[in-house]
Amino acid sequence: MKKKFRFQWGAFLMFLVYGGLFFLLFGRILYIQVTGEAEGKVMATLAESKYSRESVLKAERGTIVDRNGELIASDTLSYRLIAVMSKDASKGSKKPLHITDIEKTAEVLAEYIPLEKDEIVSRLTTAKEGDKYQVEFGKAGRDISHETVLAIKKQKLPGVLFIEDQKRYYPNGVFASYLIGFAMKEEDDEGNISTVGKMGLEKTYNKELNGTDGKVDFESDGFGFMLPKAEEAIVPAKDGYEIQLTLDKTIQNFMEDAMNRVESEYSPKKILAVVVNPKTGKILAMSQRPAFHPSTREGLTENWLNQAVETTIEPGSTTKMFTVAAAIEEKKWVPTDFYNSGQYTLYDRTIRDHNITGWGYISFLEGFQRSSNVSMAYLLERMGDKTYIEYLRKFGFGEKTGIDLPNEAPGRILDTYPIERLTTAFGQGSTVTLMQMVQAATAIANDGVMMKPYVIDKITDPNTDKVIRDQKPEENGSPISAKTAKEVRELLASTVTSEHGTGKKFALNGYTVGGKTGTAEIPDPSGSGYLSGHGNYLYSFLGMAPAEDPQLLTYVLVQQPKLKAGEIGSDPVSKLFTSIMDNSLRYLNIVPNGEDIVEATVLQDYNGKNSTEAMEKLLADGFVPEIIGEGGQVDVQYPEPGTKLAEGSVILLQTKGPITLPDFTGWSKKMVISYKMLSGLDIRINGDGYVTEQSLSKGAVIGQDEPVVIHLKSPSEIYKPVEEDTKEESIVGG
């Protein structure tokens, strides 16, 4: 019996629905394959936007180093604090990975970052209510040290994370702060964070110091993993340029230490100091007080100026060295001629010596030694005040020196009225910068040739080792002859050695000094004349040593120190000058007076030679050879072949094998650093100057991972200066 066919409406409807969907989907796929578009968008673009990834390769900001390559500023590892607020972060985890207790988290974090607990609570609460996944803490949550990270991690706060970052590092603390300046993280309108120089060299050379970030482009899956056979495009990061300064870290530290002592003892309104090599114009040290720590900005006031360059002063009697130099060059200086000291009248104006009454009839030589204003007036009369102004311009006053620093002030020579030219001759009225004074003094120290001051020695691209800029010493004119310069140096030395000299306090033990004191009146801020009263002056000394052939030129100024009863302005100034100069001369191995001057010997090339033979030859030449290793073939020597050295100089010879520790006593810091680099030992240096102690004794055989602590002291700590018991009469204009 045949079954009766029954039409299945349900199955038919299902066929129509699913069949229609199939044909729609098939048509859509066919359309996309033919056109390559979906919803008006190219599918390749959609795929690229979903799977393409870009990883940023961070460039390091360039380093700033001293003339010996010692670090002044660099990038270092830091951390950024992040608080995860979303519960989604804890999904699939047995322990919470997001903030669970806002109050406790805020209480702990407030102990480690510069934000109050209430502010942290507010940020976390706002982020939670706003359904944010995570929150950061702005400036307060950046530049966190490794030690702080470890301390916070010990608290085991869920949801608190740290991301590795970089921050600017200034290892020397308060160190030429207004010259170096500082750089800090800044966030732009798009939320990008970068390090930006805000002051000093960090700002001036921000473009050179800033590197260029690189990147890695690749295709990845939805989880961020690189797809098989995907191409990887790498654009390497370019680190910022290295800037090598003319500064010497050791001399700079001598200056900073001396400034700290004087600031602590006298609480002056201001201290300024500069040390320069007069043969080259290289600035070896420069600083001022008040100062600040560039890492924390602690101590930074509303003053952001490098006052040695950007501000002017009325210098006082230090100017007299240039007045006398002009008179000698014009053949108007006769030191044995006499004049009547005390006062001098020009038309309706009278100027006086600093003791008001003068010393009667005295010679011009004694007048210079006593820092007589009236003697300068008579010299001006002899050579002509217009002629004198021409010499000041030859010495570079009234115009910028051209130093490689921004915002240099030109100063101003007052030349309208005769009285202005007269007061300028003893350092009042006209204004100058410290750089102008130092530059002018190089002509006296350098046999009449004036050297342009500079602080940037070299700029190098670390990515290619290409030298971008290599500054060489530059002459800036010859205002006087070598004969005149020599005579002026002799006069300057007499102010220190003469019984009448105002510079007796500036004498050094073992070195001759030539220089001139200054006691300048300070313009009253109210605009009515000058300040008066005990200590209300700008005290200074511009000196050079050794006086016969100056190797260093130092200018120090102290404004309005709080002087004790019986003290005079030259007391704090002399403490600054003698400490800086004595330490620096000894550090540079300048031979003191009375010691036999040994002819320098040219160091031969011992690379590749047997160490025993090299030692025998070095000993015969009067050197002190030191073997690094067990001996044999010399791989590297220091100093390099061809270097001129005095008898007794240490010569390092690197060989292979175990290292036996030498006796470092008496070694300079520079030589210890060289030994550290050649040996690869973990040598930790404490202090500046010369080695006095070492943690492991001579003869110890040590490995690379065994630390050796070396203690150094400055020459002033080793050689105690002789204190003078005599006190001089307080002087103004001296």
Side-chain angles (χ1 to χ4, degrees):
M1 180 178 174
K2 289 184 177 180
K3 290 185 178 181
K4 186 177 179 182
F5 174 77
R6 295 179 60 188
F7 188 77
Q8 299 292 326
W9 286 101
F12 178 70
L13 288 173
M14 288 181 67
F15 171 77
L16 288 177
V17 171
Y18 287 106
L21 289 173
F22 171 77
F23 283 108
L24 281 173
L25 183 59
F26 177 77
R28 180 63 172 163
I29 291 172
L30 183 64
Y31 174 80
I32 290 173
Q33 283 204 335
V34 173
T35 65
E37 293 185 358
E39 298 179 1
K41 299 177 181 178
V42 179
M43 286 300 293
T45 303
L46 289 174
E48 184 180 349
S49 66
K50 184 170 184 178
Y51 296 112
S52 179
R53 295 288 188 271
E54 179 178 290
S55 177
V56 176
L57 301 175
K58 295 295 292 182
E60 286 195 7
R61 187 173 174 87
T63 57
I64 300 176
V65 299
D66 84 336
R67 67 177 187 155
N68 297 315
E70 292 207 51
L71 191 63
I72 294 175
S74 71
D75 279 356
T76 190
L77 178 66
S78 68
Y79 296 87
R80 197 167 81 243
L81 174 63
I82 292 176
V84 178
M85 304 305 301
S86 175
K87 293 181 180 179
D88 291 344
S90 301
K91 287 181 179 179
S93 174
K94 294 181 179 179
K95 59 181 181 180
L97 300 177
H98 68 285
I99 301 292
T100 56
D101 188 334
I102 289 178
E103 285 288 330
K104 180 184 177 182
T105 301
E107 185 177 347
V108 172
L109 292 181
E111 296 179 13
Y112 296 99
I113 66 173
L115 274 183
E116 297 294 331
K117 176 186 173 183
D118 292 344
E119 173 65 20
I120 298 174
V121 169
S122 174
R123 291 190 183 217
L124 295 177
T125 303
T126 302
K128 184 177 181 181
E129 292 174 352
D131 202 25
K132 289 187 176 180
Y133 187 86
Q134 65 188 42
V135 64
E136 294 190 37
F137 298 90
K139 182 181 177 182
R142 294 197 293 266
D143 294 344
I144 297 175
S145 69
H146 185 64
E147 291 76 12
T148 302
V149 169
L150 293 177
I152 296 175
K153 283 185 174 181
K154 284 183 180 179
Q155 303 296 325
K156 297 181 179 180
L157 299 173
V160 173
L161 303 177
F162 297 95
I163 295 178
E164 285 190 5
D165 201 358
Q166 291 179 333
K167 71 172 181 179
R168 205 62 171 158
Y169 175 54
Y170 302 93
N172 305 303
V174 178
F175 181 95
S177 305
Y178 283 86
L179 171 64
I180 306 302
F182 66 91
M184 58 188 295
K185 293 285 181 63
E186 278 194 352
E187 187 172 349
D188 61 22
D189 296 337
E190 298 178 358
N192 299 315
I193 298 172
S194 60
T195 302
V196 179
K198 304 299 292 181
M199 177 185 179
L201 293 173
E202 289 275 27
K203 179 180 180 181
T204 305
Y205 293 91
N206 187 64
K207 181 179 178 181
E208 289 83 353
L209 289 166
N210 263 345
T212 304
D213 288 343
K215 61 182 179 179
V216 179
D217 286 324
F218 57 90
E219 292 181 350
S220 67
D221 60 20
F223 298 99
F225 294 104
M226 190 171 177
L227 292 171
K229 299 182 181 180
E231 291 186 1
E232 184 179 38
I234 300 177
V235 179
K238 292 184 178 180
D239 294 337
Y241 292 164
E242 177 184 87
I243 297 181
Q244 185 167 25
L245 306 182
T246 60
L247 291 190
D248 187 297
K249 181 180 173 181
T250 299
I251 296 177
Q252 184 70 41
N253 279 328
F254 290 152
M255 178 179 286
E256 301 293 352
D257 291 343
M259 280 187 160
N260 288 340
R261 290 193 296 270
V262 169
E263 183 178 39
S264 175
E265 184 175 356
Y266 292 97
S267 303
K269 289 283 183 68
K270 178 167 64 180
I271 305 176
L272 299 172
V274 176
V275 178
V276 65
N277 180 341
K279 309 294 186 185
T280 63
K282 290 183 178 182
I283 302 295
L284 301 177
M286 176 193 295
S287 197
Q288 66 191 61
R289 292 292 184 277
F292 67 94
H293 194 303
S295 291
T296 62
R297 267 76 73 190
E298 181 182 355
L300 184 61
T301 65
E302 65 276 1
N303 171 47
W304 282 37
L305 301 178
N306 181 352
Q307 297 194 45
V309 177
E310 299 180 65
T311 62
T312 60
I313 57 168
E314 294 182 32
S317 294
T318 47
T319 305
K320 291 172 184 174
M321 69 171 70
F322 308 114
T323 307
V324 170
I328 294 173
E329 189 74 8
E330 286 294 304
K331 297 180 173 52
K332 303 298 183 182
W333 167 258
V334 183
T336 55
D337 280 0
F338 280 71
Y339 72 98
N340 188 13
S341 64
Q343 66 180 43
Y344 179 93
T345 300
L346 179 67
Y347 301 121
D348 61 338
R349 302 287 294 276
T350 298
I351 61 106
R352 292 179 172 82
D353 281 323
H354 51 75
N355 69 344
I356 308 300
T357 58
W359 305 271
Y361 279 91
I362 59 174
S363 69
F364 276 92
L365 174 60
E366 184 178 335
F368 182 73
Q369 293 167 346
R370 289 187 182 275
S371 196
S372 166
N373 294 337
V374 174
S375 70
M376 296 298 109
Y378 282 113
L379 280 182
L380 205 66
E381 190 178 286
R382 289 185 174 192
M383 66 175 150
D385 58 359
K386 290 286 189 180
T387 299
Y388 169 63
I389 295 299
E390 289 175 10
Y391 272 97
L392 283 187
R393 298 197 186 281
K394 288 180 183 178
F395 273 113
F397 295 109
E399 62 182 37
K400 299 177 181 181
T401 66
I403 190 171
D404 43 7
L405 293 173
N407 308 319
E408 183 182 8
R412 184 185 178 198
I413 298 176
L414 298 182
D415 183 27
T416 305
Y417 304 105
I419 190 62
E420 293 176 336
R421 293 187 279 275
L422 174 57
T423 59
T424 294
F426 53 85
Q428 293 291 167
S430 293
T431 59
V432 302
T433 66
L434 267 70
M435 282 301 108
Q436 288 173 334
M437 292 291 285
V438 164
Q439 176 181 258
T442 63
I444 295 171
N446 194 37
D447 289 336
V449 179
M450 192 164 68
M451 303 304 295
K452 178 180 175 180
Y454 66 102
V455 296
I456 305 297
D457 192 31
K458 187 164 57 176
I459 299 178
T460 306
D461 183 349
N463 307 286
T464 61
D465 290 330
K466 180 182 178 182
V467 176
I468 306 301
R469 170 177 164 186
D470 191 4
Q471 182 65 46
K472 301 298 182 185
E474 184 178 338
E475 296 180 8
N476 226 359
S478 298
I480 55 176
S481 67
K483 182 181 177 183
T484 296
K486 182 176 183 294
E487 190 170 348
V488 175
R489 290 199 300 270
E490 292 171 352
L491 284 172
L492 293 174
S494 76
T495 71
V496 178
T497 58
S498 167
E499 61 175 316
H500 309 300
T502 58
K504 287 190 290 185
K505 290 178 181 288
F506 297 87
L508 296 178
N509 185 15
Y511 297 97
T512 55
V513 175
K516 187 69 193 73
T517 55
T519 305
E521 292 182 303
I522 302 171
D524 192 321
S526 66
S528 56
Y530 292 89
L531 298 176
S532 61
H534 186 55
N536 255 345
Y537 298 92
L538 178 62
Y539 304 101
S540 62
F541 187 75
L542 177 52
M544 56 194 75
E548 303 81 19
D549 183 20
Q551 302 300 307
L552 290 180
L553 180 67
T554 299
Y555 190 24
V556 294
L557 303 94
V558 180
Q559 180 178 321
Q560 294 168 283
K562 294 180 180 177
L563 301 171
K564 305 179 188 69
E567 286 189 318
I568 60 175
S570 60
D571 285 319
V573 178
S574 63
K575 289 178 181 179
L576 262 181
F577 177 87
T578 55
S579 176
I580 295 169
M581 199 64 128
D582 187 65
N583 286 338
S584 300
L585 288 168
R586 293 184 187 277
Y587 159 71
L588 294 173
N589 293 320
I590 307 300
V591 180
N593 293 337
E595 296 189 13
D596 293 333
I597 298 177
V598 181
E599 287 293 324
T601 303
V602 177
L603 183 62
Q604 296 183 18
D605 187 354
Y606 296 100
N607 290 304
K609 295 184 179 180
N610 183 273
S611 60
T612 303
E613 296 174 4
M615 286 187 69
E616 290 176 357
K617 183 65 172 69
L618 287 167
L619 287 168
D621 288 342
F623 296 127
V624 180
E626 192 63 56
I627 298 291
I628 301 174
E630 62 182 358
Q633 180 178 300
V634 176
D635 295 328
V636 181
Q637 74 176 64
Y638 179 84
E640 295 178 351
T643 305
K644 291 183 178 181
L645 298 169
E647 183 178 332
S649 297
V650 176
I651 310 299
L652 303 179
L653 302 174
Q654 183 194 48
T655 66
K656 295 179 173 60
I659 296 173
T660 302
L661 212 61
D663 181 0
F664 290 108
T665 303
W667 285 30
S668 69
K669 185 175 183 179
K670 185 176 181 180
M671 186 57 71
V672 175
I673 292 171
S674 300
Y675 186 93
K676 176 182 178 180
M677 292 174 64
L678 289 177
S679 65
L681 295 178
D682 183 8
I683 295 178
R684 303 177 186 183
I685 301 171
N686 181 15
D688 282 296
Y690 296 87
V691 178
T692 56
E693 298 177 55
Q694 61 191 76
S695 61
L696 296 177
S697 60
K698 175 185 176 182
V701 179
I702 61 174
Q704 303 284 341
D705 57 348
E706 189 171 0
V708 182
V709 181
I710 303 291
H711 295 276
L712 299 92
K713 287 185 179 180
S714 65
S716 64
E717 294 175 287
I718 301 171
Y719 310 97
K720 296 295 182 183
V722 178
E723 296 288 342
E724 289 193 28
D725 296 326
T726 57
K727 296 289 181 183
E728 295 180 27
E729 180 186 358
S730 178
I731 54 175
V732 178

